[in-house]
Amino acid sequence: MIFWNAELARRLACSKREKSHLGSIIKELLEIHDTVRTEGIKSLTDSASIKEKPILSYGLRLIEEGVSGETLEEILAIYLIASPWSGFDFLLQCLHTEALLSLAAGDSKDMYLRKLVPYCGVESAADVLGALEL
Amino acid sequence: MIINSLCLAQDRLPSPSEPSGQNFPALKPRTIQACLELAKKFVTTIQRYRSEGKEALLAATREEKKKNLKYAYSLVASGMPQENVASAFARAGFLEAESSKDEFDSAMLLTGVQLALKNVHPIAIMRAMTAYLGFAVYEEVGSWLAQRYSSPIRQEEELLLPGELADAVYAFTDDPGSLGQAIRLAGLPLLAAASAGCPDETLSIIKSVGFNSLGSALLDDEIQNARSRLSSDELSDAQHAFLTLLGSLKELVPKGIVEEEAWKRSMDGGLVSEVSELILNLDARILKTVISAMDAKLVAALIQAMEPIAHDRLFSSVTSNRGKKILDALEASAPLSSNELTRQAQIFAQRVLAEVAPRSKILGKALPIPAQVRQLLSAILSRE
């Protein structure tokens, strides 16, 4: 079951054009999955491109601190809700958080992709999945 | 999905200051520091509760002047189900605070109490409580936690349990991705239990792949916890489970190790226990005579159906030369099936009987051996 509330929906709202960028962002996130799978999480924490992505950067450090599962999800949800992000920026951070939780859970690449694609919206999820299918 | 957790987290925070729901009340630096101090105080008390017991928590509850903090301690002490904490806070009126500072305090304490009741480690509780204050305090919180936890907690001697996990982990040193994957899939409780019986070197490899200094301290703490809470058998089971997980991820674990673990799991525990007990309880002279007269290969086969503690007694009953021959035979032997082990144990039991039986048979008279040994011989010989 997916919970829903109007405040959250308002905060996540963004244009179709903005959402169209998500496909390429998911592609980048798949590369991160590959790096974690081959070199481990520690190889990412010092990477400059990760440091530009706040929730990913801090989230990876939390995983290295031994935080996992429900507790990790709860902490990241608090950061997101208490943050000033809204619109596409907020959606992007939610997508990064979903990726992080999937990495922390040790999900396969296929499962990881299937958890990220729904953020593209019902209309384009199937197309993005088709384009990125492993 | 994170969306669900967002909905739950949103219910705890002060109402947005704008109808768009985009901005929560900004906190002044002084307020942030005050909230931070509250979190530090709560987490310090929870740490004392973990290490010193409930009395420390009850004492903190008695001494605390701040109402919401006092209430938070009392909820942790009550051990109530964590899903009831929010309604307990609401009933006590702490969710209808007068200022945003009070609202943040309540949200932080509510989170802290829920996690403490779930027995989450204080490092993670501190991270969760201070997440309300944003990333701006992340480093400051990290420094505070490092001061309290990064010094080596692990001061006791290493506990070594027999098993192949150490070799398997070593085999993964050039594949941090797979080892890291296994660490995350296992989760902290299993990893801590599995690592509790490993050499320090193995633990260092695990830490270097999956944890920073704070994470390493947390793992050490959980290992100590596992050692005090779990039996050797449970720790050994955790090692097997983690080894199986590693084996499922990559063929890097030497095939022999995986096969040996599978063989150990297929062993007849009852037979192993009976043979071990028999070796431990036999009269030293009888044991020495029987083992000395047996072929080294047969003794090696028998050792496969024995617990390590019985190995020591068996080897102490023979000369060093004889012991070396048995060890050589053991190294050359292949793992035997459960049926073959039963057969070897029965041959040994028959030899023991032959040794204790009087040369001239007197009908109706019991053998001159302790009742426990007689029962063990009978149990082994009656196996099919």
Side-chain angles (χ1 to χ4, degrees):
Chain A
M1 189 177 79
I2 298 177
F3 296 164
W4 186 89
N5 78 37
E7 266 176 37
L8 197 57
R10 268 200 300 275
R11 198 169 166 187
L12 279 164
C14 59
S15 69
K16 254 189 172 176
R17 194 162 156 249
E18 285 173 319
K19 272 194 182 177
S20 68
H21 297 302
L22 290 180
S24 59
I25 292 167
I26 291 175
K27 201 173 170 188
E28 268 179 50
L29 291 172
L30 284 173
E31 286 166 18
I32 288 176
H33 184 279
D34 288 342
T35 308
V36 168
R37 194 65 189 81
T38 52
E39 295 167 40
I41 273 189
K42 278 195 161 181
S43 64
L44 280 174
T45 38
D46 292 328
S47 126
S49 69
I50 292 292
K51 283 185 174 163
E52 291 166 2
K53 302 175 176 74
I55 203 98
L56 263 182
S57 168
Y58 287 110
L60 286 169
R61 288 172 63 185
L62 285 171
I63 295 173
E64 282 188 61
E65 284 176 15
V67 183
S68 59
E70 281 176 26
T71 310
L72 178 66
E73 182 162 345
E74 185 165 352
I75 294 174
L76 295 173
I78 296 170
Y79 273 121
L80 284 171
I81 283 295
S83 75
W85 292 309
S86 63
F88 182 71
D89 286 342
F90 188 57
L91 180 67
L92 184 61
Q93 300 308 322
C94 289
L95 178 70
H96 284 168
T97 306
E98 200 69 59
L100 197 66
L101 292 172
S102 184
L103 288 173
D107 283 341
S108 68
K109 197 171 178 180
D110 187 50
M111 177 63 78
Y112 177 80
L113 177 60
R114 278 161 208 283
K115 284 183 176 177
L116 301 185
V117 161
Y119 285 83
C120 299
V122 190
E123 310 84 15
S124 45
D127 292 341
V128 174
L129 192 60
L132 296 173
E133 198 75 79
L134 309 172
Chain B
M1 208 170 178
I2 189 65
I3 297 295
N4 287 357
S5 299
L6 287 176
C7 288
L8 296 173
Q10 192 167 36
D11 289 342
R12 284 193 218 134
L13 269 176
S15 304
S17 55
E18 291 178 15
S20 64
Q22 289 174 3
N23 294 308
F24 288 94
L27 293 174
K28 292 175 186 164
R30 248 178 70 184
T31 310
I32 289 178
Q33 278 310 312
C35 289
L36 204 49
E37 290 309 314
L38 178 90
K40 287 179 187 174
K41 196 168 184 186
F42 179 82
V43 168
T44 303
T45 303
I46 296 303
Q47 178 58 42
R48 283 188 57 206
Y49 170 40
R50 278 170 69 98
S51 55
E52 296 168 31
K54 199 166 182 176
E55 191 45 51
L57 181 60
L58 294 174
T61 311
R62 283 193 298 272
E63 288 159 19
E64 183 55 53
K65 299 281 186 292
K66 211 168 175 320
K67 279 184 184 172
N68 54 4
L69 198 50
K70 192 182 188 80
Y71 187 64
Y73 293 156
S74 70
L75 291 183
V76 177
S78 75
M80 71 190 305
Q82 60 92 18
E83 56 271 21
N84 296 344
V85 174
S87 57
F89 261 79
R91 275 200 306 276
F94 290 118
L95 297 185
E96 294 156 12
E98 287 174 3
S99 67
S100 56
K101 153 83 172 66
D102 289 342
E103 285 181 301
F104 270 90
D105 275 359
S106 295
M108 287 168 65
L109 287 173
L110 174 52
T111 298
V113 171
Q114 284 177 328
L115 294 177
L117 285 168
K118 284 201 271 184
N119 202 23
V120 168
H121 194 278
I123 290 178
I125 296 179
M126 185 65 181
R127 284 301 191 195
M129 290 177 79
T130 55
Y132 288 100
L133 309 175
F135 292 123
V137 298
Y138 192 95
E139 303 300 345
E140 187 181 344
V141 170
S143 303
W144 184 78
L145 287 170
Q147 276 174 11
R148 300 187 70 81
Y149 292 98
S150 282
S151 57
I153 293 173
R154 194 170 186 224
Q155 285 157 355
E156 59 190 89
E157 277 184 28
E158 58 183 4
L159 169 72
L160 297 179
L161 293 176
E164 309 300 338
L165 185 58
D167 290 341
V169 168
Y170 186 75
F172 272 83
T173 42
D174 60 350
D175 185 9
S178 295
L179 183 55
Q181 175 88 342
I183 289 170
R184 292 191 298 281
L185 281 171
L188 204 59
L190 174 60
L191 180 68
S195 311
C198 284
D200 285 343
E201 195 187 353
T202 309
L203 200 52
S204 298
I205 296 171
I206 289 172
K207 286 176 182 173
S208 71
V209 167
F211 299 93
N212 59 19
S213 59
L214 263 182
S216 299
L218 191 149
L219 180 61
D220 282 341
D221 213 7
E222 294 294 344
I223 286 173
Q224 270 193 358
N225 194 353
R227 283 182 183 164
S228 61
R229 206 167 34 85
L230 304 175
S231 66
S232 297
D233 281 351
E234 286 169 321
L235 296 179
S236 193
D237 285 348
Q239 279 200 2
H240 287 147
F242 191 62
L243 188 65
T244 307
L245 184 59
L246 276 175
S248 71
L249 284 176
K250 210 172 176 193
E251 291 303 315
L252 245 180
V253 180
K255 208 177 161 202
I257 291 176
V258 175
E259 283 170 355
E260 193 176 329
E261 289 303 317
W263 172 76
K264 278 181 187 165
R265 283 194 297 279
S266 72
M267 290 273 282
D268 179 344
L271 178 72
V272 171
S273 166
E274 286 160 8
V275 172
S276 305
E277 284 293 308
L278 182 59
I279 295 284
L280 293 172
N281 286 289
L282 264 182
D283 174 81
R285 184 193 62 77
I286 295 171
L287 180 65
K288 185 178 180 181
T289 310
V290 173
I291 294 294
S292 302
M294 277 170 75
D295 182 67
K297 284 180 189 167
L298 190 59
V299 180
L302 186 68
I303 286 174
Q304 290 188 25
M306 245 183 253
E307 287 162 5
I309 191 167
H311 298 173
D312 295 343
R313 180 144 204 256
L314 188 146
F315 280 105
S316 68
S317 73
V318 295
T319 61
S320 57
N321 268 350
R322 174 89 178 131
K324 193 177 175 308
K325 277 184 190 167
I326 295 171
L327 280 175
D328 289 343
L330 186 63
E331 205 165 313
S333 67
L336 298 178
S337 69
S338 196
N339 285 342
E340 288 167 319
L341 288 178
T342 304
R343 180 75 195 121
Q344 301 302 332
Q346 286 173 335
I347 292 173
F348 173 66
Q350 283 164 353
R351 301 255 172 120
V352 172
L353 269 182
E355 184 57 33
V356 297
R359 300 290 174 244
S360 56
K361 289 179 184 172
I362 305 166
L363 289 174
K365 199 164 183 188
L367 291 174
I369 47 175
Q372 192 186 2
V373 171
R374 191 161 49 242
Q375 281 168 7
L376 288 165
L377 287 170
S378 165
I380 292 170
L381 288 169
S382 62
R383 282 180 169 271
E384 290 183 3

